[in-house]
Amino acid sequence: MGEARNAQEQDINQLLKVRREKLAALQENGKDPFQITKYDVTHHSLDIKNAFDSLEGQVVSIAGRVMSKRVMGKASFCNVQDIQGNIQSYVARDSIGEESYADFKKYDVGDIVGIRGEVFKTKTGEISIHAAEVTLLSKSLQILPEKYHGLVNTDIRYRQRYTDLIMNEEVKDTFVKRSKIISSIRRYLDGQGFLEVETPMLVSNAGGAAARPFETHYNALDEDVKLRISLELYLKRLIVGGMERVYEIGRVFRNEGLDTRHNPEFTLMELYQAYTDYNGMMDLTENMFRHVAQEVCGTTTITYGGVEIDLGSPFKRVTMIDAVKEYAGVDFDLIKDTEEAKKIADEKGVHYEARHKKGDILNLFFEEFVEEHLVQPTFVMDHPVEISPLTKRKPDKPDYVERFELFITCREMCNAYSELNDPIDQRARFAAQEEAFAAGDEEANHTDEDFLNALEIGMPPTGGIGYGIDRLVMLLTDSPAIRDVLLFPTMKSLN
């Protein structure tokens, strides 16, 4: 086994050496491809195929990577891949000249070429380009994975996304769709009168979510700062300033583990709208999800993991208490206090920490018994105040807040509130968070005095929401892991 591997490595090293020798020969003959600075592309592969009737016999110029090549004496075929797909080119010695044809025969799979020629259809009916000129634009000095087996090693795929995009067309399609999803979201929100804004990534107080921040040092100011974990507190400051509808799509950073749903840096979208509440956020979310699915996927009925998901029908709405009552058989409305909640948790085998209160335990019951059942779109509403430090209380039930999370395919897709705009209550909530931090909760929020000052200036009643863009892309591209929708996911260094 070891001998075979050594022989294979020697073969690869020899092939790599040959490629460098080919480049050196080109350079010696004044044909260095890396000296070429531009190439005029008139068409792409799919454009040509879709408009064949009008382009037949016309001269076009394409550019892309040689993915296969068949040399047959005086005439050859090559397949060129561009952003839209693949197209065949017929390359004949009598059409491009003897010297150019001799050069072409030495080109390798992986090289990037420009081809100018007439559009035609072969005897087998394949739309192709009859080359009049072939230009080597870049020499590939590495070897692409073998065509028929492709690039299947997931670790290499994530580390070398550039190779993954070349070899796996469905991967490129996923990221094209990701771009379209974000564009569609922007179009929808812009049409609703929202303004897109940008807020700081380096902050002195990383608040707005329950997560551990990354920390760094700002040399110019000689201050320790953090990477943001949320967009919330700065966007709310803009609501205070009179910008009634704002949103931001940006990277946030959480110092946590990696799994199929989590990456330490990911894309979050948050939006805030004055003079509405969490019911308004539910309506906006339903409408936006339908809009994006219809625009990007062409339907509001999608398939994820073999399961049909209906985004077209009204989303189910259920309180957290009712959901736990349905799936765990425990009614937290009948539980008087934390002591009784812990007793029932012991009976049900739900693990909790000493610092947890009744509301925390309700949330643990939800995670343990309910989440796995929420396949179709479901708004879970009215969370306990203990886990919602920035949310307005329910007037008729002050131990709970006007908050919802949307679950689809058993995953949280977004988190929304009727935003807390009472600065006195907010200060008390921050104090409770400081106590939780002192008791060992490393994800607790810290008091933000400037944010409290903004609230004292006065913030109108406001609805706000945060969407995990990566999870939405996973849903609409039927991707099982967050790494499949991140171009460059976080990986442990190899050195």
Side-chain angles (χ1 to χ4, degrees):
M1 197 69 178
E3 291 179 5
R5 187 180 294 113
N6 288 336
Q8 185 180 30
E9 288 177 359
Q10 288 176 2
D11 289 343
I12 291 173
N13 289 335
Q14 181 59 32
L15 290 171
L16 295 175
K17 181 183 176 186
V18 168
R19 291 198 175 205
R20 279 164 172 74
E21 290 171 349
K22 287 181 180 180
L23 174 62
L26 287 166
Q27 292 169 332
E28 287 173 13
N29 292 320
K31 299 178 180 179
D32 186 352
F34 299 124
Q35 294 294 317
I36 297 174
T37 58
K38 61 173 290 189
Y39 187 82
D40 292 327
V41 175
T42 64
H43 294 77
H44 287 87
S45 56
L46 190 59
D47 296 332
I48 294 169
K49 292 176 181 179
N50 288 341
F52 174 74
D53 289 343
S54 61
L55 287 176
E56 185 177 13
Q58 301 296 311
V59 174
V60 299
S61 294
I62 65 156
R65 191 178 300 275
V66 176
M67 297 303 292
S68 65
K69 188 172 157 224
R70 283 184 294 134
V71 176
M72 303 178 299
K74 297 178 182 179
S76 302
F77 286 94
C78 69
N79 193 280
V80 176
Q81 177 176 291
D82 62 17
I83 182 64
Q84 293 183 350
N86 291 269
I87 192 163
Q88 178 177 267
S89 179
Y90 173 69
V91 183
R93 185 188 67 182
D94 293 345
S95 298
I96 70 170
E98 195 163 332
E99 184 180 346
S100 293
Y101 190 66
D103 289 339
F104 171 79
K105 288 198 293 183
K106 295 176 183 176
Y107 295 167
D108 292 302
V109 169
D111 288 351
I112 296 174
V113 298
I115 295 178
R116 183 178 64 82
E118 286 188 10
V119 176
F120 79 111
K121 191 176 286 187
T122 65
K123 292 177 181 178
T124 59
E126 183 168 355
I127 295 170
S128 306
I129 298 170
H130 188 145
E133 180 182 81
V134 180
T135 306
L136 181 63
L137 303 174
S138 181
K139 183 68 187 165
S140 175
L141 300 179
Q142 280 286 353
I143 300 169
L144 292 178
E146 200 274 319
K147 178 182 175 183
Y148 294 102
H149 296 98
L151 181 63
V152 294
N153 182 300
T154 53
D155 187 73
I156 295 176
R157 285 182 55 220
Y158 297 143
R159 291 185 187 278
Q160 297 183 16
R161 183 67 85 187
Y162 42 89
T163 309
D164 191 25
L165 289 166
I166 294 167
M167 300 307 300
N168 296 316
E169 188 173 355
E170 70 278 5
V171 172
K172 182 176 67 179
D173 292 343
T174 291
F175 289 105
V176 169
K177 188 174 278 189
R178 179 188 175 105
S179 179
K180 290 179 178 178
I181 288 167
I182 293 173
S183 296
S184 181
I185 290 170
R186 284 193 166 104
R187 276 192 296 275
Y188 179 79
L189 292 178
D190 293 348
Q192 297 295 311
F194 282 84
L195 297 173
E196 184 174 9
V197 298
E198 295 172 303
T199 61
M201 289 190 184
L202 289 173
V203 295
S204 57
N205 185 351
R212 291 175 60 188
F214 288 93
E215 300 180 4
T216 187
H217 185 76
Y218 194 169
N219 291 333
L221 299 178
D222 192 23
E223 285 184 357
D224 291 333
V225 291
K226 302 174 178 67
L227 286 169
R228 66 185 180 186
I229 60 174
S230 167
L231 313 174
E232 180 166 349
L233 300 185
Y234 281 98
L235 291 176
K236 284 183 178 178
R237 286 168 167 89
L238 299 181
I239 295 291
V240 171
M243 300 177 75
E244 293 182 3
R245 298 186 182 204
V246 294
Y247 75 96
E248 180 173 7
I249 300 173
R251 283 293 225 221
V252 297
F253 309 86
R254 299 182 181 180
N255 201 347
E256 56 190 19
L258 296 88
D259 59 29
T260 57
R261 303 185 190 186
H262 297 91
N263 194 75
E265 60 172 305
F266 61 98
T267 303
L268 185 64
M269 183 185 82
E270 292 195 30
L271 66 85
Y272 293 85
Q273 179 180 340
Y275 311 114
T276 190
D277 61 1
Y278 75 146
N279 291 300
M281 292 296 100
M282 279 188 253
D283 293 340
L284 183 149
T285 298
E286 277 197 52
N287 292 332
M288 189 181 78
F289 271 54
R290 289 193 192 108
H291 166 88
V292 174
Q294 186 65 52
E295 196 168 271
V296 176
C297 303
T299 178
T300 56
T301 302
I302 62 170
T303 300
Y304 186 84
V307 178
E308 195 173 273
I309 304 296
D310 180 9
L311 298 174
S313 300
F315 294 4
K316 181 180 178 181
R317 304 185 182 195
V318 62
T319 66
M320 183 177 281
I321 282 181
D322 285 346
V324 168
K325 184 178 177 181
E326 178 180 354
Y327 291 105
V330 176
D331 187 349
F332 271 74
D333 272 338
L334 303 179
I335 295 174
K336 297 190 295 292
D337 52 28
T338 296
E339 185 178 349
E340 187 175 340
K342 288 183 175 179
K343 182 180 177 183
I344 291 175
D346 290 336
E347 292 173 2
K348 290 284 189 176
V350 175
H351 175 72
Y352 57 86
E353 298 178 26
R355 62 183 174 82
H356 282 151
K357 298 178 181 177
K358 174 186 169 182
D360 298 299
I361 293 170
L362 168 60
N363 187 54
L364 292 172
F365 266 76
F366 172 78
E367 293 174 351
E368 180 75 23
F369 294 104
V370 181
E371 282 190 16
E372 63 182 351
H373 298 285
L374 304 180
V375 177
Q376 296 300 323
T378 304
F379 289 120
V380 177
M381 309 180 297
D382 302 349
H383 295 52
V385 70
E386 289 92 338
I387 62 168
S388 312
L390 298 162
T391 316
K392 186 170 285 192
R393 295 177 192 263
K394 291 182 69 65
D396 58 340
K397 206 171 185 181
D399 288 342
Y400 297 87
V401 296
E402 293 190 351
R403 172 184 174 186
F404 73 79
E405 293 172 292
L406 172 64
F407 283 83
I408 306 176
T409 67
C410 312
R411 296 173 180 174
E412 177 201 337
M413 303 299 293
C414 63
N415 185 22
Y417 314 149
S418 296
E419 302 297 336
L420 179 60
N421 62 342
D422 177 346
I424 298 170
D425 189 359
Q426 183 63 78
R427 183 174 291 278
R429 304 274 193 98
F430 276 142
Q433 286 286 294
E434 296 284 7
E435 288 178 12
F437 182 80
D441 184 356
E442 294 182 339
E443 296 184 346
N445 281 223
H446 293 284
T447 304
D448 188 327
E449 289 293 346
D450 183 72
F451 176 64
L452 289 170
N453 183 66
L455 289 187
E456 289 179 358
I457 295 291
M459 186 173 87
T462 297
I465 191 164
Y467 300 88
I469 294 296
D470 307 301
R471 291 191 182 179
L472 176 56
V473 175
M474 288 169 66
L475 177 70
L476 296 182
T477 60
D478 195 9
S479 298
I482 192 170
R483 288 183 173 187
D484 295 324
V485 300
L486 297 174
L487 278 167
F488 302 102
T490 302
M491 305 286 288
K492 185 174 176 61
S493 176
L494 290 174
N495 39 356

